[in-house]
């Protein structure tokens, strides 16, 4: 079992290098790796279930008592970023609606479940992170088709009913099932089952990235100046998400733990979900802006952690996710508001 867990630990700590490597392999060997496409949705459902095993409905209730940080994170991640991505994408790449669609899709998918891992490592607020991820994930079957329809209108054809159905099966229901399993077992699922299957979930993530990367092979092999520009745009815009989360948290005068969580919640996207949707419902060119984001996400997450540590090192506390003042885990200090 220790060897099995070490496999998962190795993948988790090296995702900044593994993700780009998977994209390269997918581009180099598309015919060989594309045979795994039927496994993508089951793998993604399994990954979502495993990640939700560490959550509880109590986390959601705890955060809903003081919902401002969660609502602000969702507003930035699910409204502000997609709208800005659509506006800038149309301005810069409006001649190719498929590329604009891919850019918008990249930023209307749910918050990445791996954001919880990064916030925990940086001493963030675990309740806020897990609750926001759950709400974002469960809302995705409805929010993604609505966002694409409102922002892109008739520019692309979206089978909203089919997309909602498959997102319910592959994202929302596994998230709810994992959370319910943890609650029903009084936390045993999170303590025992989740670590046992975590390596398999990380392997599934690698398989999903490998398989989805095959869809962009024709475009990467024949890069045009516009595709290079899209790659640069995705890198810069992805970095801005972390900045927006940090700035909004500071403007709201949130404690340090919630600043960390909001930074990652606004910056990290469930790219695997976006790639699955792009491969299922859109032309291959739409997948390019989505999958190319895997080149940046883990690297940017590591950079964000380094910057947060430098900016707030004196107030980092023990890194347990609780307020240094003895907060209840919701990130709101128990002391009287000043």
């Amino acid at each position: 079992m220790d060897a099995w867990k070490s496999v998962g630990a190795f993948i988790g700590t090296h995702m900044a290098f593994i993700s780009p490597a998977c994209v390269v392999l997918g581009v180099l060997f598309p015919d060989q790796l594309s045979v795994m496409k039927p496994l993508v949705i089951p793998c993604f459902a399994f990954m979502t279930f495993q990640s939700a095993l560490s959550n509880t409905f109590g986390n959601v209730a705890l955060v809903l008592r003081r919902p401002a940080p969660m609502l602000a994170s969702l507003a930035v991640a699910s409204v502000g970023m997609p709208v800005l991505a659509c506006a800038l994408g149309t301005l810069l790449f409006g001649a190719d609606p498929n590329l604009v669609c891919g850019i918008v899709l990249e930023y209307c998918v749910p918050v990445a479940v791996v954001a919880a891992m990064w916030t925990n490592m940086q001493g963030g607020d675990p309740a806020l992170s897990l609750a926001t991820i759950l709400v974002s994930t469960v809302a995705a079957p409805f929010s993604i088709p609505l966002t694409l329809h409102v922002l892109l209108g008739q520019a692309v054809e979206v089978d909203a009913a089919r997309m909602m159905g498959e997102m319910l099966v592959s994202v929302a229901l596994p998230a709810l099932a994992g959370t319910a399993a943890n609650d029903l077992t009084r936390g045993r699922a999170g303590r025992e089952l989740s670590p046992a299957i975590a390596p398999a979930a990380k392997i599934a993530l690698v398989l999903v990235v490998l398989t989805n990367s095959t869809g962009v092979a024709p475009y990467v092999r024949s890069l045009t100046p516009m595709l290079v520009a899209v790659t640069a745009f995705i890198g810069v815009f992805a970095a801005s998400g972390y900045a927006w989360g940090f700035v909004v948290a500071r403007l709201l005068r949130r404690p340090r733990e919630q600043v960390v969580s909001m930074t990652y919640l606004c910056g990290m996207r469930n790219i695997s979900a976006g790639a699955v949707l792009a491969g299922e419902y859109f032309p291959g060119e739409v997948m390019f802006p989505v999958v190319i984001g895997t080149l940046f996400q883990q690297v940017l997450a590591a950079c964000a952690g380094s910057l947060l540590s430098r900016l707030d090192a004196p107030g980092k506390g023990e890194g347990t996710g609780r307020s240094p003042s003895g907060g209840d885990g919701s990130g709101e200090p128990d002391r009287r508001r000043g």
Side-chain angles (χ1 to χ4, degrees):
M1 181 60 75
D2 289 341
W4 172 242
K5 290 183 178 179
S6 68
V7 171
F10 177 84
I11 295 174
T13 56
H14 292 82
M15 279 305 295
F17 307 100
I18 292 174
S19 290
C22 288
V23 175
V24 172
L25 289 173
V27 170
L28 293 176
F29 306 104
D31 295 334
Q32 292 83 356
L33 295 173
S34 61
V35 298
M36 296 188 294
K37 281 187 177 179
L39 299 176
V40 168
I41 291 179
C43 281
F44 191 75
F46 175 69
M47 289 158 45
T48 305
F49 172 78
Q50 186 275 328
S51 66
L53 286 172
S54 58
N55 201 5
T56 67
F57 291 114
N59 283 334
V60 181
L62 190 66
V63 173
L64 286 177
R65 293 176 191 169
R66 299 184 179 95
M70 181 176 70
L71 293 177
S73 300
L74 291 173
V76 172
S78 302
V79 180
M81 294 291 286
V83 170
L84 188 58
C86 183
L88 294 177
T90 302
L91 177 66
L92 298 172
F93 313 108
D96 192 329
N98 285 332
L99 289 177
V100 176
C101 178
I103 291 170
V104 175
L105 180 60
E106 167 83 345
Y107 293 100
C108 65
V109 295
V111 176
V113 293
V114 75
M117 178 193 76
W118 281 101
T119 56
N120 286 343
M121 288 194 302
Q122 296 298 323
D125 183 336
L128 172 61
S129 299
L130 290 169
T132 305
I133 290 167
L134 178 63
V135 171
S136 175
T137 300
V138 172
F142 311 97
S143 63
I144 293 176
L146 178 63
T147 302
L148 292 175
H149 176 73
V150 170
L151 295 181
L152 300 177
Q154 300 302 315
V156 295
E157 184 177 346
V158 179
D159 188 346
R162 183 183 167 202
M163 182 185 295
M164 288 172 64
E166 292 197 0
M167 286 286 286
L168 280 170
V169 172
S170 64
V171 178
L173 292 181
L176 291 172
T179 305
N182 197 31
D183 270 346
L184 292 173
T185 59
R186 298 183 179 181
R188 285 190 63 190
R191 293 191 304 270
E192 300 175 13
L193 179 59
S194 181
I197 65 175
K202 290 183 172 65
I203 293 172
L205 174 60
V206 171
L207 293 177
V208 168
V209 177
L210 274 172
T211 306
N212 287 332
S213 299
T214 63
V216 300
Y219 304 100
V220 174
R221 289 179 174 182
S222 55
L223 277 176
T224 64
M226 180 172 284
L227 293 181
V228 173
V230 169
T231 302
F233 172 81
I234 290 294
V236 173
F237 197 71
S240 77
Y242 296 88
W244 283 116
F246 179 84
V247 169
V248 170
R250 283 297 182 90
L251 289 175
L252 292 175
R253 297 179 177 273
R254 306 317 303 168
R256 194 262 177 194
E257 290 72 23
Q258 291 191 350
V259 172
V260 171
S261 291
M262 291 177 68
T263 298
Y264 282 106
L265 291 171
C266 294
M268 303 197 78
R269 288 293 183 277
N270 199 327
I271 294 176
S272 298
V276 170
L277 293 175
E280 281 284 313
Y281 299 101
F282 301 102
E285 196 175 14
V286 172
M287 190 180 286
F288 181 84
V290 178
V291 174
I292 212 68
T294 59
L295 294 174
F296 306 106
Q297 178 147 279
Q298 299 299 328
V299 175
L300 288 173
C303 292
S306 178
L307 289 173
L308 286 168
S309 297
R310 292 180 182 181
L311 288 170
D312 261 335
K316 190 172 181 179
E318 296 80 15
T320 61
R322 294 179 61 85
S323 169
S325 62
D328 60 6
S330 67
E332 185 69 28
D334 288 338
R335 64 180 181 272
R336 182 178 62 85
R337 296 181 185 179

